[in-house]
Amino acid sequence: MINLVLFGPPGAGKGTQAEKIVNRRNLVHLSTGDIFRRNIKEHTELGDLAKSYMDKGELVPDEVTIKMLESEVDRHVNSNGFIFDGFPRTSAQAKALDAFLETKNTSISVMLALSVEDDELKKRLKKRAEVSGRTDDADPDIIANRIAVYKSETAPVADYYKAQNKYEEIEGIGSIEEISEKLFDAIGSHE
Ligand code: AMP
């Protein structure tokens, strides 16, 4: 089993690259943002709660997010592995994920961190808003808050994986294919 954490600020290309990796490796793609958006569309209780945070560019509380992620993992226990996209986003989530995977006799293989400059991120999110219909991509104040939350709460998660020698940083600039190849090399060195 191989379990990957795809990491990076909003607009770094996590969703695009997750698709490439999933296609090649036949992994289960779990994007917490996508799962929240699905719940919002379906007007579930979880969706209503998540929306109140997402609309401000804040993180959904750990307790709710962790519980949701764990039940998604449980639905796919016999898979080849997982690609976690947008999770963990806090140190508490990272610790909970390790503890949970241990109960399944598995663990994170590597964190793949896509790095992209702030100005480029803002440009990409603005462009994405035109096609994604995501309100949190369309408002510059919400974008700025998401990047600020990333820096204060999410960026420290990298240290958690660095301490375990499971951290690989990949520059998220260049063609989609070029970046994918760098990611595949990094995955290969942790198998
Ligand atoms: P994303 O699609 O990954 O950009 O996530 C969109 C929004 O969903 C974020 O701005 C958060 O409000 C929420 N979200 C997604 N993943 C998480 C997570 N792991 N922890 C808390 N909130 C999350």
Side-chain angles (χ1 to χ4, degrees):
M1 207 173 186
I2 182 155
N3 298 303
L4 311 172
V5 172
L6 196 53
F7 192 71
K14 297 189 292 294
T16 305
Q17 293 299 336
E19 242 172 71
K20 297 275 172 200
I21 298 169
V22 164
N23 288 344
R24 192 170 310 183
R25 302 299 300 250
N26 196 20
L27 302 176
V28 173
H29 177 204
L30 292 183
S31 156
T32 41
D34 283 351
I35 301 167
F36 285 136
R37 280 185 288 277
R38 201 167 62 225
N39 276 274
I40 291 172
K41 246 194 196 156
E42 293 168 358
H43 298 287
T44 67
E45 210 176 303
L46 175 66
D48 287 346
L49 178 96
K51 188 173 184 332
S52 64
Y53 293 93
M54 290 166 79
D55 279 350
K56 292 182 277 191
E58 305 279 339
L59 294 182
V60 178
D62 280 339
E63 206 197 339
V64 178
T65 306
I66 290 165
K67 213 172 114 204
M68 175 186 86
L69 191 277
E70 290 181 353
S71 71
E72 290 290 328
V73 170
D74 273 334
R75 287 178 51 213
H76 303 278
V77 273
N78 294 320
S79 70
N80 289 337
F82 292 89
I83 174 154
F84 298 102
D85 164 8
F87 185 96
R89 253 178 162 98
T90 64
S91 299
Q93 290 180 11
K95 284 181 198 147
L97 180 61
D98 267 1
F100 183 69
L101 291 179
E102 208 180 319
T103 68
K104 312 277 170 202
N105 293 316
T106 187
S107 60
I108 292 298
S109 313
V110 61
M111 166 184 265
L112 303 162
L114 289 169
S115 64
V116 175
E117 295 287 322
D118 280 6
D119 284 348
E120 172 68 17
L121 294 175
K122 286 178 188 158
K123 258 192 254 164
R124 289 187 188 180
L125 290 172
K126 213 172 147 204
K127 216 167 151 202
R128 187 169 82 184
E130 293 166 16
V131 287
S132 73
R134 282 179 57 172
T135 45
D136 62 344
D137 284 344
D139 182 328
D141 289 341
I142 301 177
I143 290 177
N145 196 34
R146 286 163 67 203
I147 294 175
V149 168
Y150 174 80
K151 285 186 178 158
S152 63
E153 293 183 59
T154 303
V157 177
D159 294 333
Y160 183 81
Y161 292 95
K162 279 180 195 165
Q164 297 184 28
N165 290 322
K166 291 180 177 177
Y167 178 83
E168 294 284 345
E169 187 168 319
I170 289 104
E171 206 189 2
I173 300 285
S175 74
I176 292 173
E177 282 66 31
E178 276 164 6
I179 298 167
S180 303
E181 284 312 314
K182 286 191 272 183
L183 288 170
F184 290 129
D185 286 349
I187 295 167
S189 66
H190 285 266
E191 283 187 289

